[in-house]
Amino acid sequence: MNGPRRCIVIPAIKKNAVIPDQLVKRLAGVTLIQRAIDTARSVAEAADIVVVTDSQEIALVCERNGVRHHYNASLRFTSLDIVRELRGVLEELAATYPYLVIYRASCPLLTGHDIDDAFARFRNEGADVLVTVKSIRQRVWEKRDGSLDAILADEGPEDGPDGGADGGPDEGTDEGADAGATTGAASPHRPSAGRSSGSREVYVESKALVMLRASALAPGATPRVMPYFLNDRAIEINSYQDWWLCEKLLERRHIVFVVAGYPAIGMGHVFRALMLAHEISDHKITFLCTRDSELAVKNIAARDYRTYIQQTDDPGPGLAPGLAQDVLRLAPDLVVNDILDTGADYMLRLKAAGVRTVNFEDEGPGAAHADLVVNALYEDRHDDPRLLYGHRYFCLRDEFIAGERNEFRPQPKRVLVTFGGTDHSDFTRRTLDVIEPLCRQRGIAISIVAGPGYAHREAMQAHVESLGRAGGQNPPLVEFTHATNVMSRKMEGADIAICSAGRTVYELAHMRVPAIVMAHHEREARHTFARARNGFAYLGVMHPFREEALRRAFARMLDEDFRRALHQRMQRLDFTRNKAGVVARIGALLAPAQGGAAPRRPSYIDELPFGPDFDLRSALIEQSPSVEDTVAAPDSPSFTGSPDSPLSGAPVASGTPHGPHGDSA
């Protein structure tokens, strides 16, 4: 709060409210006037805050908060010019303060960071007045002689569906000039892109902030006004719909998925975390991948989630405080760990910080400290309500729920071979070599699906092509697919499958595809769902790989009666409602306890994720199709300051700001 003296003026005129008693009505648990005072107090001393009001109730709130107030029961704003409406109060304060900040409670998403950032830019720019504005993408029309004419209708190369009718950026993006800069303003020396030099650029004012130098109030002054773009948090409460939207955003929390995905453990953790993240729309989602999980980073960031990779070294073996430090720098409200077994040190660090935790497939010492543990792949029974074990908690992706389940065919026509996201032991190639002769004899097609981390892709592709040339079938007997996003389509029409003992077995059971299951290692062998009672022929851990055992099992699977029995056992299984139940249990951890306080802090704004002193090199993985080549450094233009800092760009055409006359707060 050091620096030049400034006074924050909060207009709180009850007569101008658009919702009855909106200033003293609770929004996400806090009244609008109290929220505004709290925000002002975060950047100014109480003695430097003045509330202008016509309400005795609001005056009492000010007294109890120790802030000054100017009470006048007859106050009423009749215009949109807030400076003119407050001129008497402002001139009085200008005798003491060189800077005046008008902050309106009708913009409850505004933060103290916004006020400080806008003030710093205002002073650095040397302007006399700062006005918060919004960048929107709309065409604006005016009515002339009964007909509509487009305002600023000159179309240039950036106009149209891609660039917007105005050639400006989409709202909520950070394209264009830096936040708060005036470089986006039109001038005779720099016309807007795609417009003639005589075109105007029209901004839409936000009611959030107005900043003035005291000298700007002098009679006859011609102040220079600068814009400050505040897109993401510029929502003004002018209706019940605005109120509802602000409340949803204020109640939004930050969920961090901590995931691991690399060849040794596969990509199942990544795919499950992505599936759950897709189901959560009310909260902010961030992914943090463990140090070795570069494969996971590429897959997650390519889906446009904000994605980081662990930067802090672990001081010892296991998931110790190094990972915990990076997680806590993201300031989460809830952490979802999908990294297999966790250590007690790691979990206790999160717990001490007041962070709620959900762990998947965790049987390590850290599981005892989690708020919820979901181990769907293990069928153990537990009385502890924190522990959700068994196939009832397996979350099925939507593509399978909409998929067409297979009817039984006496004569099999297609075999599916798939061994997860990595298959570092190359079970895929070994399985193909065993079953291909039998399938060729019977005319059974083989569909091979390898995951994104399959390291033998080129060799397999060449092998499949050589089999096609040798067999001479048209279409070829063997089909190879790498990294499909529609696995359910590959399971549709399959009569038999051969796979590992991971999550795929649940998807096969849902799609009613009897399968031969081989475990990669002892941990997979503990996934006991893939047994004959559920429609599977289980071969155990396949190290060393036993060709003859697979050959016998496949020959038996070709038997109609055996396969029919397995198919019938799958028909009693249903996973369609599991995901909704698990997501509900996760969401319940973010809800305040009965009669308790709300979660710790709002997450509608992204803070600088690892603090101002953290080296962000290689930390932020940009969400773009070419994710492998986009790792942003602190000085990169793709990451400047706070990720969700006020945004600016080419302004757009707009008419007069809508809404009621006067200040609604």
Side-chain angles (χ1 to χ4, degrees), residues 47-292:
D48 297 327
I49 300 170
V50 176
V51 177
V52 179
T53 185
D54 63 339
S55 165
Q56 289 184 330
E57 185 178 0
I58 293 174
L60 179 60
V61 171
C62 296
E63 290 177 10
R64 289 173 174 171
N65 279 272
V67 300
R68 294 189 288 164
H69 67 276
H70 177 91
Y71 170 69
N72 183 345
S74 63
L75 277 174
R76 185 183 188 93
F77 294 166
T78 58
S79 74
L80 294 175
D81 189 343
I82 189 67
V83 174
R84 185 175 68 185
E85 297 288 351
L86 291 173
R87 192 170 188 90
V89 175
L90 296 175
E91 288 178 341
E92 181 180 333
L93 293 170
T96 305
Y97 295 94
Y99 296 98
L100 303 171
V101 177
I102 302 173
Y103 162 42
R104 284 178 270 198
S106 56
C107 295
L109 303 187
L110 195 77
T111 67
H113 168 81
D114 296 320
I115 296 175
D116 275 345
D117 185 69
F119 187 68
R121 293 177 183 270
F122 172 53
R123 294 188 62 235
N124 291 338
E125 188 70 23
D128 301 299
V129 179
L130 176 145
V131 177
T132 48
V133 295
K134 295 178 285 187
S135 172
I136 62 175
R137 183 180 178 182
Q138 291 178 341
R139 296 193 71 188
V140 179
W141 303 76
E142 64 179 348
K143 190 173 181 179
R144 293 181 182 175
D145 300 326
S147 176
L148 290 179
D149 291 334
I151 299 176
L152 303 183
D154 298 349
E155 295 192 356
E158 294 187 10
D159 292 346
D162 294 331
D166 55 351
D170 291 346
E171 181 175 359
T173 67
D174 57 1
E175 298 175 11
D178 288 343
T182 58
T183 53
S187 74
H189 306 291
R190 197 185 64 82
S192 302
R195 302 193 187 282
S196 65
S197 59
S199 296
R200 295 177 299 135
E201 294 188 18
V202 182
Y203 293 171
V204 177
E205 181 180 353
S206 163
K207 292 182 180 178
L209 290 172
V210 175
M211 296 183 178
L212 309 96
R213 291 181 184 270
S215 57
L217 295 170
T222 55
R224 186 168 73 87
V225 183
M226 67 169 284
Y228 184 86
F229 289 86
L230 193 70
N231 287 347
D232 288 348
R233 293 173 299 285
I235 300 175
E236 306 161 14
I237 295 183
N238 289 318
S239 66
Y240 281 100
Q241 184 179 24
D242 295 335
W243 182 280
W244 179 88
L245 182 58
C246 287
E247 189 157 51
K248 293 288 285 185
L249 290 171
L250 287 166
E251 291 175 344
R252 192 180 185 216
R253 302 295 155 213
H254 188 194
I255 301 176
V256 173
F257 282 83
V258 182
V259 297
Y262 47 88
I265 65 169
M267 293 291 289
H269 308 280
V270 173
F271 298 147
R272 174 171 51 209
L274 284 168
M275 173 185 61
L276 294 173
H278 291 345
E279 295 294 313
I280 300 171
S281 57
D282 286 345
H283 304 289
K284 187 180 81 174
I285 301 293
T286 301
F287 280 85
L288 176 65
C289 301
T290 58
R291 180 176 292 282
D292 298 329

Side-chain angles (χ1 to χ4, degrees), residues 333-337 347 350-351 355-359 369-373 589:
D333 297 293
L334 173 72
V335 171
V336 179
N337 293 299
M347 293 299 297
L350 302 186
K351 188 172 184 178
V355 177
R356 311 304 297 271
T357 52
V358 179
N359 292 10
H369 307 288
D371 294 292
L372 190 67
V373 179
L589 294 176

Side-chain angles (χ1 to χ4, degrees), residues 373-659:
V373 179
V374 185
N375 283 346
L377 300 187
Y378 303 104
E379 298 293 322
D380 304 355
R381 294 182 179 273
H382 293 273
D383 295 329
D384 190 337
R386 296 182 311 109
L387 307 179
L388 308 182
Y389 273 66
H391 63 272
R392 290 183 302 161
Y393 302 103
F394 176 75
C395 299
L396 196 66
R397 286 179 284 166
D398 287 344
E399 63 163 301
F400 289 96
I401 295 175
E404 183 178 349
R405 299 185 184 185
N406 297 307
E407 299 293 333
F408 180 79
R409 286 192 295 219
Q411 298 299 323
K413 295 183 179 180
R414 188 162 69 88
V415 176
L416 173 66
V417 178
T418 182
F419 285 95
T422 54
D423 187 19
H424 60 282
S425 299
D426 204 7
F427 281 7
T428 305
R429 169 68 178 268
R430 297 180 180 189
T431 297
L432 175 61
D433 290 343
V434 170
I435 70 171
E436 191 270 339
L438 295 172
C439 290
R440 190 184 328 115
Q441 291 174 9
R442 293 172 173 255
I444 301 174
I446 302 173
S447 178
I448 298 173
V449 178
Y454 184 56
H456 314 282
R457 175 183 178 181
E458 294 182 1
M460 174 59 73
Q461 187 69 54
H463 185 53
V464 168
E465 291 174 359
S466 67
L467 290 174
R469 289 192 297 270
Q473 291 95 344
N474 190 18
L477 179 74
V478 183
E479 171 195 62
F480 174 60
T481 302
H482 178 262
T484 180
N485 288 322
V486 286
M487 191 64 182
S488 60
R489 174 63 71 186
K490 297 298 180 180
M491 292 184 183
E492 290 176 341
D495 301 285
I496 303 168
I498 304 175
C499 65
S500 54
R503 296 160 194 79
T504 303
V505 299
Y506 298 88
E507 297 165 350
L508 290 168
H510 173 78
M511 297 299 290
R512 297 174 183 169
V513 184
I516 298 169
V517 177
M518 299 181 286
H520 276 116
H521 40 68
E522 291 296 335
R523 188 178 183 110
E524 274 195 359
R526 294 191 51 229
H527 302 168
T528 58
F529 175 81
R531 299 296 186 269
R533 66 182 180 275
N534 294 320
F536 299 93
Y538 178 65
L539 298 185
V541 179
M542 289 292 275
H543 285 291
F545 194 86
R546 303 188 302 278
E547 289 87 352
E548 188 56 35
L550 174 59
R551 188 176 290 107
R552 289 196 304 268
F554 187 68
R556 191 179 185 200
M557 192 68 79
L558 295 175
D559 179 79
E560 177 183 345
D561 291 338
F562 179 71
R563 192 162 36 84
R564 186 189 300 273
L566 296 182
H567 187 276
Q568 289 175 347
R569 291 172 187 175
M570 288 181 165
Q571 294 182 30
R572 62 180 174 79
L573 299 168
D574 185 9
F575 308 100
T576 55
R577 299 180 182 177
N578 294 4
K579 180 173 59 176
V582 171
V583 171
R585 290 291 297 268
I586 293 174
L589 294 176
L590 288 172
Q594 189 70 26
R600 294 176 299 123
R601 55 170 195 82
S603 293
Y604 55 85
I605 177 175
D606 286 332
E607 302 294 344
L608 189 62
F610 287 126
D613 57 344
F614 184 71
D615 184 0
L616 278 172
R617 285 175 298 182
S618 302
L620 176 62
I621 308 300
E622 288 297 322
Q623 307 91 321
S624 69
S626 56
V627 65
E628 301 176 23
D629 301 319
T630 54
V631 180
D635 56 352
S636 167
S638 60
F639 187 76
T640 55
S642 174
D644 283 347
S645 59
L647 309 170
S648 68
V652 300
S654 173
T656 304
H658 65 278

